[in-house]
Amino acid sequence: MSRMSGWALYGKVGRKSRVVLGGLSILLPLLLWSAVSYVPFIWHPQVLVTDPGGEDYLEEGMRMKRADFERAVQEMHAAGQKAPEGVAVNPVYLPSPGGVFSAFVQAFVQPDSRGPEKSILQAFWHSIQIIFWGFVISSVIGVPLGVLCGALPALSRLVEPSVDFLRYLPAPAFGALMVAILGIYDAPKIAIIVIGTLFQQILVISNTTRKLDFGLMEAARTLGARGKRLMFSVVVPGILPDLYRDQRILLGWAWTYLIVAELIGTSSGITWFITQQARYQHFANVYAAMALIGIVGLGTDMLLGFAARFLFRWKQETE
Amino acid sequence: MSAGNGTTVDYRVLPSDVAERMARIKDRDVVLRVENLGKIFAQRGRETVALEDINMNVHRREFVCVVGPSGCGKSTLVRILAGLEQASSGRILVDDKPVDGPGPDRGMVFQKYTLFPWRTVCQNVMFGLEMAGISKDESRRQAMQWLQAIGLERFAESLPHQLSGGMQQRVAIARALAAQPRVLLMDEPFSALDAQTRVRMQTHLMEIWRKIDITIVFITHDLDEAIYLADRILVLKAHPGRVEEVIEVPLSRPRRAEQMTSAEFQATKAHLESLIHTPAEETPDEFEGTEVPLLTLVTDVVE
């Protein structure tokens, strides 16, 4: 195989290299994780006791530091009693890939809730509803306002300074306030996502709107376009691909506010699932839930990116 | 008239057919009238006079070129005519009606490619018609006629970026003309094109102009282009931008490439060059004080 391309500064990556590197970027971390989990002499700092032997304070299923375990074995040897037995394990917070995978599969195979516990899918569905409404409400205000601010300098001067101030206030700081105003259920959670997204959205989109090629605007004006017609025939279609890209990035931000939002009031959704499972030390479930967030987030973004190729063919090819 | 010897030909002497033509043009209505137009740019408290007391009348179906040294404000002039910039003084009348701001009565072709990249070629040409409130079907019908006129109907459904620069400018001309302006303003529309394409575009533009009723004001820094295209050439001088001279081009129509070697052409060009490049008029420009450093100082000289 020829030398892999793409390692020169600002060089180009060939198609083959791209596929190989893309695969490796997923495989390498997984391999590292598998190695740490399945090869006993890599790390494994603890011992899971399988037989307490003569030591009183040991119990079956207990985890302890390797050094402490060895000391216990020596003590028992010296006392002439039965030595405790155990296997080297990783800490409870690092389950193996297989364990996480089976927890992940379990979530889909057995989606019904057991008792009052919500299943991972039910919890996640709740989260998706929160983020959907948060993002929709934010966009309904933020996109038109952002476009108008970008196109009307006076409005921009009127709106942007205060928005600039508001965006520096961390969204979680509004938590208590939102609960006081909107109660403890879903409304304050949606509000936190709106607060986290909206102010950035206004500024990012107004900036995108301002970057529209001025030559196109002037050409349109000499062709008799003005006011609303200019807006909808030139400004909107002209910025649409960039606006779409902005929305994709902002959706990613909305996800980061989700976890904070779900801790507000009565904790709910995937965050509630994660904290609950962590409390039971079911870390395989915790990782499965985190993976689910990642997969759904990346999946929607890839889907939207793929759609953009068809929606904005003119932009793709001119760049 | 002795051909070949430029010094004996006076550019001011019009051949009889050209003189007759000029007289006919001057009998026609004035479509575009510029009165005492001035433009002052204020920047950081300093005022720069870009244009001062510009007067000109452009008659119906006349082809006027505007030339001048860099910084004479010819682009500012055409942008004011288009309504994209405000004049500081004076006024502009189209068909004796004062105009303010951009409008469909003055079409414009820009130096930059300004086709809407998300619209197909046909939709681009339809734009001005749609803005005038004409129905989609009728706009499409007229746009296709324009595309036929410029010979690009095969590309009606293509997107602009699939076209060469010359083709894009042809579409831009069609788009401006489709809106049925009284005056077509062109701001160095061919200067981004390569030399060959430029010559073809000039011929193409004259073909279009011959066929339809349109008055053209054409900005250029290319003197050959100005003489080849224009009935009259408005020469501006810089600092401040003022009208230096208005030259009636002593070439008969239809124009042919061979005329570029004629004595009249050469005499006109020599005169234009003397107007634009006079050393006395040379003003401090961006090259002053940037002498090339003495590179030999850092080399090993072995002699």
Side-chain angles (χ1 to χ4, degrees):
Chain A
M1 205 179 101
S2 59
R3 254 185 68 230
M4 190 171 277
S5 57
W7 291 104
L9 294 176
Y10 293 91
K12 285 208 166 74
V13 198
R15 197 185 176 74
K16 209 163 141 194
S17 287
R18 237 182 301 172
V19 174
V20 172
L21 292 169
L24 280 179
S25 85
I26 298 166
L27 272 180
L28 282 180
L30 273 179
L31 274 176
L32 187 70
W33 184 18
S34 300
V36 170
S37 300
Y38 296 127
V39 184
F41 52 82
I42 301 181
W43 206 34
H44 284 72
Q46 294 184 349
V47 171
L48 180 67
V49 177
T50 52
D51 181 359
E55 190 67 275
D56 303 328
Y57 66 90
L58 292 184
E59 275 175 46
E60 196 186 323
M62 188 177 167
R63 283 163 192 263
M64 63 192 302
K65 279 187 190 159
R66 222 193 288 189
D68 295 340
F69 180 78
E70 270 154 24
R71 201 178 311 120
V73 169
Q74 264 160 23
E75 278 171 16
M76 288 303 102
H77 269 303
Q81 293 193 36
K82 189 170 181 277
E85 285 168 28
V87 289
V89 289
N90 281 325
V92 67
Y93 59 78
L94 186 70
S96 66
V100 172
F101 185 72
S102 69
F104 192 81
V105 171
Q106 200 66 25
F108 290 91
V109 175
Q110 200 181 50
D112 302 324
S113 59
R114 278 162 288 173
E117 302 277 297
K118 276 187 183 153
S119 77
I120 188 169
L121 288 187
Q122 284 171 323
F124 196 59
W125 177 238
H126 186 258
S127 297
I128 292 205
Q129 284 175 314
I130 298 285
I131 204 164
F132 174 82
W133 287 113
F135 192 67
V136 164
I137 291 170
S138 173
S139 297
V140 163
I141 307 164
V143 173
L145 192 57
V147 172
L148 281 174
C149 279
L152 294 172
L155 189 66
S156 150
R157 298 279 163 165
L158 185 68
V159 171
E160 283 185 27
S162 59
V163 170
D164 238 334
F165 169 74
L166 286 170
R167 90 184 158 117
Y168 277 103
L169 306 180
F174 288 88
L177 187 63
M178 287 301 121
V179 169
I181 298 172
L182 297 167
I184 57 168
Y185 299 107
D186 288 350
K189 301 170 197 296
I190 294 172
I192 291 298
I193 291 183
V194 172
I195 289 167
T197 315
L198 177 63
F199 303 127
Q200 313 283 355
Q201 199 167 30
I202 293 170
L203 296 176
V204 167
I205 289 176
S206 75
N207 220 26
T208 294
T209 308
R210 244 173 259 134
K211 276 192 294 196
L212 176 70
D213 182 356
F214 207 65
L216 297 180
M217 287 285 289
E218 293 193 330
R221 288 169 66 205
T222 62
L223 289 163
R226 52 169 63 209
K228 236 199 299 189
R229 279 212 165 123
L230 186 62
M231 197 74 189
F232 289 104
S233 309
V234 181
V235 178
V236 172
I239 64 165
L240 209 52
D242 289 338
L243 188 106
Y244 185 86
R245 189 209 52 213
D246 288 345
Q247 287 290 83
R248 270 171 69 192
I249 294 169
L250 286 159
L251 184 58
W253 289 2
W255 274 103
T256 63
Y257 285 106
L258 176 70
I259 302 298
V260 177
E262 285 184 333
L263 287 172
I264 285 167
T266 52
S267 105
S268 69
I270 198 75
T271 310
W272 180 82
F273 181 86
I274 288 173
T275 44
Q276 204 67 6
Q277 294 297 316
R279 219 165 273 164
Y280 302 151
Q281 300 211 329
H282 292 166
F283 282 98
N285 283 340
V286 171
Y287 282 88
M290 284 161 71
L292 190 61
I293 298 176
I295 289 166
V296 170
L298 182 67
T300 35
D301 192 63
M302 279 171 73
L303 214 69
L304 292 172
F306 189 68
R309 277 203 232 164
F310 294 95
L311 289 172
F312 310 114
R313 191 159 275 173
W314 62 270
K315 188 83 178 180
Q316 293 283 322
E317 289 167 13
T318 43
E319 276 171 356
Chain B
M1 206 166 285
S2 62
N5 188 354
T7 51
T8 61
V9 177
D10 190 331
Y11 71 93
R12 280 167 296 192
V13 178
L14 300 181
S16 58
D17 58 329
V18 179
E20 271 171 38
R21 194 185 134 70
M22 276 320 297
R24 279 206 307 277
I25 287 173
K26 283 177 183 165
D27 274 347
R28 294 182 198 148
D29 306 334
V30 174
V31 172
L32 176 71
R33 194 188 298 275
V34 178
E35 287 176 353
N36 308 320
L37 192 78
K39 174 76 183 175
I40 296 166
F41 285 112
Q43 204 173 35
R44 275 179 259 119
R46 260 184 54 198
E47 290 196 336
T48 317
V49 181
L51 293 170
E52 195 175 74
D53 200 25
I54 306 277
N55 286 288
M56 72 172 182
N57 292 333
V58 183
H59 299 265
R60 190 166 165 185
R61 295 205 66 189
E62 193 179 8
F63 200 130
V64 173
C65 281
V66 180
V67 299
S70 56
C72 70
K74 50 190 190 291
S75 263
T76 308
L77 173 63
V78 79
R79 287 176 58 80
I80 293 172
L81 293 182
L84 296 173
E85 261 171 63
Q86 285 282 319
S88 308
S89 56
R91 56 180 196 159
I92 298 156
L93 301 102
V94 173
D95 291 333
D96 293 323
K97 283 189 282 291
V99 290
D100 183 33
D105 54 342
R106 285 147 295 143
M108 177 125 163
V109 178
F110 296 80
Q111 179 179 2
K112 272 176 56 188
Y113 304 141
T114 56
L115 294 183
F116 304 116
W118 58 89
R119 285 177 163 244
T120 64
V121 164
C122 183
Q123 287 168 338
N124 261 285
V125 180
M126 286 162 67
F127 186 88
L129 298 161
E130 282 173 24
M131 291 303 120
I134 295 169
S135 74
K136 272 252 157 73
D137 287 343
E138 176 61 16
S139 303
R140 177 166 291 277
R141 201 184 60 76
Q142 291 190 24
M144 286 310 289
Q145 281 181 353
W146 280 106
L147 286 176
Q148 254 157 28
I150 60 164
L152 286 179
E153 70 271 28
R154 281 180 298 132
F155 296 94
E157 300 309 317
S158 304
L159 286 171
H161 73 266
Q162 296 165 321
L163 271 56
S164 70
M167 290 204 275
Q168 288 195 40
Q169 286 306 63
R170 269 153 79 186
V171 176
I173 294 170
R175 179 179 69 175
L177 289 174
Q180 292 176 342
R182 293 290 289 155
V183 189
L184 181 63
L185 306 166
M186 305 182 86
D187 186 9
E188 306 200 25
F190 306 147
S191 60
L193 306 174
D194 62 77
Q196 277 186 326
T197 314
R198 184 152 62 226
V199 172
R200 291 225 307 277
M201 289 293 290
Q202 289 161 0
T203 314
H204 188 77
L205 176 62
M206 277 196 293
E207 277 296 302
I208 294 173
W209 173 68
R210 237 156 50 89
K211 281 186 216 155
I212 60 167
D213 175 12
I214 187 72
T215 309
I216 299 182
V217 176
F218 190 107
I219 310 291
T220 181
H221 62 263
D222 180 343
L223 300 182
D224 288 326
E225 184 171 67
I227 303 166
Y228 186 55
L229 294 174
D231 291 316
R232 282 191 302 159
I233 300 174
L234 191 78
V235 186
L236 295 184
K237 70 183 174 89
H239 312 290
R242 304 188 65 144
V243 179
E244 171 100 62
E245 192 177 336
V246 180
I247 294 172
E248 299 181 346
V249 177
L251 296 177
S252 52
R253 287 196 189 267
R255 300 273 162 86
R256 301 173 311 277
E258 301 89 84
Q259 285 170 305
M260 295 182 96
T261 51
S262 71
E264 292 89 349
F265 193 102
Q266 293 304 328
T268 313
K269 189 174 175 187
H271 180 67
L272 280 175
E273 265 169 354
S274 71
L275 285 179
I276 289 169
H277 303 296
T278 32
E281 289 282 314
E282 213 67 75
T283 42
D285 62 19
E286 64 261 45
F287 288 106
E288 193 153 299
T290 57
E291 295 92 354
V292 177
L294 292 175
L295 296 176
T296 48
L297 286 179
V298 296
T299 58
D300 289 324
V301 182
V302 183
E303 276 182 299

